[in-house]
C-alpha cells in the first residue's frame, strides 16, 4: 500500500501524458476505450493506486475505501457492473475532501452534474441513476482488473482525456526515465526534421512491401 510520501512523489507523473506513457509501456498497460473521463475538460491526474473490488450490484468496498485511501491516491475499482452505480455525488465529495485525486472505475456512477460541478475527476464506463447495494465485503488493496489492465496497490495511475495508463510499481523509475528521454527528444526536434524522418521511414516500409506510387 502506498504511503503519503509515495503519493507526493507521484505528482511528477502528471507532467507525462498518457500518449507518451503508452509509447513507452505498450498496449498491455493501457485501459480499454470504455474507461473514459465522464466530464470535460478533465485535468490530467496521477497517483498511486488504491485498489478496490466490487462484485456486480454492490458498492460497499468503494464506500469503505474513501475513508481509508491516503491523500494523493487514485482509487481503482474492479466491477464490470453496468446495472448499478458504484458511487454518487456525496461519495465523490468526501473522497475529494480527503485528498483522493480521482476514481478510475470499471463500472458506473451517478449524480454526474454534482461530480462535474465539484471538479472531481472520474474515469468510468458511464452513468446510471440506480445505486448499488452494500453487502459484499472484499479485501482492499489486492490485485484488481480494470479496463482490461491489472492494477496493484501502489502502481502509478495516470489518466487524462486520452485514456488511463497503469505503470507497475517495480518499473516506475525505468518508465519515468524513458518517458523523459522521449519528451526531450521530441522537444528538440523540429516539425521539418520529423517530417523528413517520417517520410523516409514510411517510404521504406512501402518499398519493402512492393508498393509503387
Amino acid at each position: 500500500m502506498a504511503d503519503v510520501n509515495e503519493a507526493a512523489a507521484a505528482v511528477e507523473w502528471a507532467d507525462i501524458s498518457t500518449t507518451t506513457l503508452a509509447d513507452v509501456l505498450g498496449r498491455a498497460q493501457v485501459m480499454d476505450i470504455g474507461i473514459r473521463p465522464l466530464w470535460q475538460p478533465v485535468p490530467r491526474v496521477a497517483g498511486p493506486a488504491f485498489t478496490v473490488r466490487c462484485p456486480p450490484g454492490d458498492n460497499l468496498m468503494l464506500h469503505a475505501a474513501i475513508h481509508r485511501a491516503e491523500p494523493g491516491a487514485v482509487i481503482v475499482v474492479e466491477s464490470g457492473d453496468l446495472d448499478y452505480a458504484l458511487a454518487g455525488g456525496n461519495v465523490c465529495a468526501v473522497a475529494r475532501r480527503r485528498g483522493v485525486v480521482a476514481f478510475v472505475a470499471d463500472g458506473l456512477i451517478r449524480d454526474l452534474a454534482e461530480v462535474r460541478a465539484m471538479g472531481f475527476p472520474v474515469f468510468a464506463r458511464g452513468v446510471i441513476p440506480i445505486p448499488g447495494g452494500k453487502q459484499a465485503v472484499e479485501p482492499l488493496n489486492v490485485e484488481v482488473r480494470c479496463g482490461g489492465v491489472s492494477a496493484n496497490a501502489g502502481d502509478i495511475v495516470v489518466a487524462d482525456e486520452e485514456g488511463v495508463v497503469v505503470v507497475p510499481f517495480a518499473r516506475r523509475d525505468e518508465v519515468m526515465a524513458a518517458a523523459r528521454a522521449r519528451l526531450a527528444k521530441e522537444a528538440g526536434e523540429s516539425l521539418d526534421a520529423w517530417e523528413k524522418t517520417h517520410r523516409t521511414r514510411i517510404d521504406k516500409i512501402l518499398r519493402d512491401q512492393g508498393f509503387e506510387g
Side-chain angles (χ1 to χ4, degrees), residues 68-88:
R68 291 162 174 79
E70 297 285 357
V74 175
I75 294 183
V76 180
V77 189
E78 174 183 321
S79 172
D81 184 3
L82 299 181
D83 292 314
Y84 297 92
L86 290 163

Side-chain angles (χ1 to χ4, degrees), residues 31-32 34-36 38 54-58 62 76-87 103-110 122-128 145-147:
M31 292 190 186
D32 70 52
I35 311 298
R36 306 301 300 168
L38 295 188
C54 291
D58 199 283
L62 174 54
V76 180
V77 189
E78 174 183 321
S79 172
D81 184 3
L82 299 181
D83 292 314
Y84 297 92
L86 290 163
F103 286 169
V104 174
D106 201 329
L108 312 173
I109 70 159
R110 67 179 194 161
V122 177
F123 299 78
R125 294 201 180 273
V127 296
I128 197 168
R145 195 158 182 84
C146 182

Side-chain angles (χ1 to χ4, degrees), residues 51-65 76-81 86 106 133 136-140 144:
T51 59
V52 180
R53 185 180 294 145
C54 291
D58 199 283
N59 59 30
L60 175 65
M61 296 316 297
L62 174 54
H63 288 234
V76 180
V77 189
E78 174 183 321
S79 172
D81 184 3
L86 290 163
D106 201 329
V137 175
E138 297 275 350
L140 293 170
V144 300

Side-chain angles (χ1 to χ4, degrees), residues 6-24:
E6 290 168 355
V11 172
E12 65 181 323
W13 288 92
D15 292 331
I16 312 294
S17 72
T18 57
T19 54
T20 297
L21 291 172
D23 288 343
V24 171

